[in-house]
Amino acid sequence: MPQIRRKFAAALFLGTATIVSLPVPSSSQVRRENRFVVHNRDGTTMSCEQFRTIQRNGSEDRGLNDALLISSTLDVVALSPLNCDAGAFTVRGSGTAGQTLSFSWPSARGYSMVLLDLPVMSAFVFEDTLADQACADLLAQQTDFGKTRKLPSTLVNLIRRRNAATGSARANQSWRIFDLATELQLQMYERAPNSLQAWQGVTFDSSHVTAEQWATTRQAVGRGGWIRIVLDREQPLDSYRPIIDRAHTLNMRVLGQILDSSEMKVLDLEGWKERVNSVLAALPLVDAWEVGNEVNGNWLGPDVEKKVAYATHRTKLLAPDKPRVLTVLWNLGEDTEDDSVFRWLTRFDKATLSDIDVLGLSLYPEDHPMGTAYNRVVRTLRRLAPRSRIGVTELGYGNDDLGGTWWWGSQHDKTLAKRSVARFYDRASRAHAFSAGGTFWWYFLQEVTSVSVSCRMAHECSHPVRGPPPWRRSVSTLKRWPHR
């Protein structure tokens, strides 16, 4: 795919180059580090601070999440590669073919993780290359969705005008191309047919569920939907049996989470093995098992790979007909190289990964933006785990225990933003033939309402927010993600 994108950008859009072309080096040559300048929509040069303010949404250094990646695998080469001097950025560590720069950047819907394939020339104009990348990604997404690779005429006309323009007019047209191309990517998810294999579910992080919450759950996920139960380490396992029985009575299925990521560090390897065997013996009617949660999080302690491997092998042996689910934390540039999702998966045991039926993302867009990067991310995950279906197995937004660095859906209306996040990722997680669906909203029990909901959560449902239930402190409050 990276080669296709570079070919497309080079021949682009009616034959007019977006920047001054430099000779393409041979494989034995080393390119100079990439360098770029950025212009505002009025054509003025964007300062370093202006760029950084946009990237981090006005927050402090926790919002500086740029990273240099290997284009084919999205594995992290270096964190914080951007250096700025007098308005021109240098990408530290770049200079070889097949590299991608990742960073957060806003569109009309909110912040996405941009995956910008670095051009073969060492110097480029940021907004031109960004616009070309958005168009290339749109064409790649059309191919992935089985559609004809063709840019709409509105976008083609913008490209024509951009390529004939200079100065402020050119900058303005590039930003307009970026706006339209990214919006069209998001719209493709909203219009895509759903995979027939895809799940739809919510998360229960308590064994206490009211009749009102059951009714809302049934309306949210529908017949055949899923409930993901977070099995608290300090809660008796038999206290979850009524939930499993009630779910089955209501024609819903149950995904059991052996242990939340916030509690894995408490157990050593032997304690984890005992936990796995106790859970499988106590709750045989669970329909699927989550053998590891947010496994690349840096707060899980030692032996995570061994723990996940053991849980995978034991569930395969003792419950061979139950799907096995592995959840990874979506994290690219917000923590260390080793904890990034693709690095972790490339070093994880391949034999164990082949026994995973569903590879799911834990997605908290305000702490780890995704948006338009979703298509490329799940395609890359699919190549790493070709036997697994790919989905979103944990999703949340807007809770007080999250960082709130970036936004999606609305900057000011938290309820509208939650609905936008739920709706988009529900559709995105079910759009591919290999999709597993989801999205197993983490805060569901805390955020359901007494108002009857007559539609699915993924569409126009409105769940006004209220405070956490009084009967217990949710383990969600323990989930903290470090930022660089």
Side-chain angles (χ1 to χ4, degrees), residues 124-137:
F124 62 93
V125 176
F126 177 82
E127 66 272 12
D128 287 351
T129 305
L130 187 69
D132 293 354
Q133 182 74 59
C135 292
D137 290 341

Side-chain angles (χ1 to χ4, degrees), residues 22 52 155 189 211 219 224 231 269 312 329 335 368 373 387 391 411 442 458 473:
L22 300 176
R52 290 302 200 183
L155 194 51
Y189 283 112
Q219 291 169 337
L231 302 177
L269 184 57
T312 302
L329 175 70
D335 199 2
H368 311 281
R387 186 188 171 277
Q411 297 187 64
W442 178 266
R473 177 174 178 261

Side-chain angles (χ1 to χ4, degrees), residues 460-481:
E460 297 303 326
C461 297
S462 176
H463 300 298
V465 182
R466 68 183 185 189
W471 54 82
R472 69 184 295 267
R473 177 174 178 261
S474 167
V475 294
S476 69
T477 60
L478 301 177
K479 292 202 172 189
R480 304 287 183 183
W481 296 287

Side-chain angles (χ1 to χ4, degrees), residues 73-382:
T73 64
L74 301 185
D75 190 6
V76 175
V77 175
L79 297 174
S80 303
L82 289 182
N83 296 318
C84 189
D85 180 25
F89 278 93
T90 300
V91 186
R92 176 178 51 84
S94 64
T96 59
Q99 292 182 319
T100 296
L101 180 67
S102 66
F103 53 93
S104 56
W105 201 258
S107 62
R109 301 257 191 125
Y111 274 82
S112 291
M113 177 62 72
V114 172
L115 301 173
L116 184 67
D117 292 330
L118 294 175
V120 292
M121 59 286 293
S122 61
F124 62 93
V125 176
F126 177 82
E127 66 272 12
D128 287 351
T129 305
L130 187 69
D132 293 354
Q133 182 74 59
C135 292
D137 290 341
L138 177 60
L139 291 177
Q141 191 171 328
Q142 289 173 345
T143 298
D144 292 341
F145 282 25
K147 297 182 178 295
T148 303
R149 281 174 63 96
K150 183 179 180 181
L151 297 178
S153 58
T154 306
L155 194 51
V156 171
N157 290 334
L158 282 175
I159 293 166
R160 281 198 180 100
R161 291 197 290 271
R162 188 277 304 271
N163 289 346
T166 59
S168 61
R170 184 182 184 88
N172 183 265
Q173 294 294 344
S174 283
W175 286 116
R176 291 181 63 191
I177 292 166
F178 171 75
D179 293 340
L180 179 56
T182 52
E183 176 60 24
L184 290 172
Q185 290 176 55
L186 302 177
Q187 289 180 10
M188 282 184 65
Y189 283 112
E190 295 168 345
R191 298 168 182 170
N194 294 331
S195 168
L196 297 178
Q197 294 181 303
W199 298 351
Q200 187 170 33
V202 296
T203 297
F204 283 7
D205 64 345
S206 171
S207 60
H208 184 112
V209 183
T210 67
E212 169 191 38
Q213 290 169 328
W214 275 114
T216 306
T217 300
R218 182 67 170 80
Q219 291 169 337
V221 304
R223 183 184 179 89
W226 286 79
I227 296 167
R228 173 177 177 249
I229 302 179
V230 179
L231 302 177
D232 195 317
R233 185 176 56 86
E234 298 180 354
Q235 191 81 3
L237 290 173
D238 58 8
S239 68
Y240 294 101
R241 290 173 186 159
I243 293 180
I244 299 169
D245 294 340
R246 182 70 180 274
H248 289 161
T249 300
L250 295 173
N251 294 307
M252 291 184 285
R253 294 167 288 179
V254 175
L255 168 63
Q257 185 195 90
I258 292 175
L259 197 65
D260 188 65
S261 67
S262 61
E263 298 190 296
M264 184 178 278
K265 188 176 183 178
V266 178
L267 300 179
D268 61 14
L269 184 57
E270 291 306 311
W272 171 259
K273 292 179 179 180
E274 181 179 347
R275 169 73 179 181
V276 170
N277 289 308
S278 297
V279 166
L280 294 177
L283 303 173
L285 297 182
V286 165
D287 300 287
W289 286 106
E290 185 177 355
V291 297
N293 173 247
E294 299 174 331
V295 290
N296 56 313
N298 68 7
W299 60 92
L300 273 68
D303 297 322
V304 175
E305 292 93 336
K306 293 179 181 179
K307 291 176 180 178
V308 173
Y310 182 83
T312 302
H313 298 152
R314 291 299 287 175
T315 51
K316 182 179 180 180
L317 176 66
L318 301 178
D321 58 333
K322 309 293 179 68
R324 293 169 294 278
V325 178
L326 179 65
T327 299
V328 292
L329 175 70
W330 169 241
N331 168 17
L332 191 66
E334 288 87 38
D335 199 2
T336 68
E337 292 95 330
D338 285 344
D339 293 323
S340 64
V341 58
F342 299 104
R343 172 72 61 85
W344 195 93
L345 285 171
T346 54
R347 73 168 192 252
F348 185 58
D349 178 51
K350 297 299 184 292
T352 300
L353 191 58
S354 69
D355 286 331
I356 298 298
D357 299 291
V358 173
L359 180 60
L361 291 162
S362 173
L363 245 171
Y364 291 82
E366 62 198 295
D367 283 343
H368 311 281
M370 173 75 83
T372 55
Y374 187 85
N375 188 59
R376 189 166 175 183
V377 166
V378 297
R379 276 294 182 188
T380 305
L381 289 174
R382 177 70 170 178

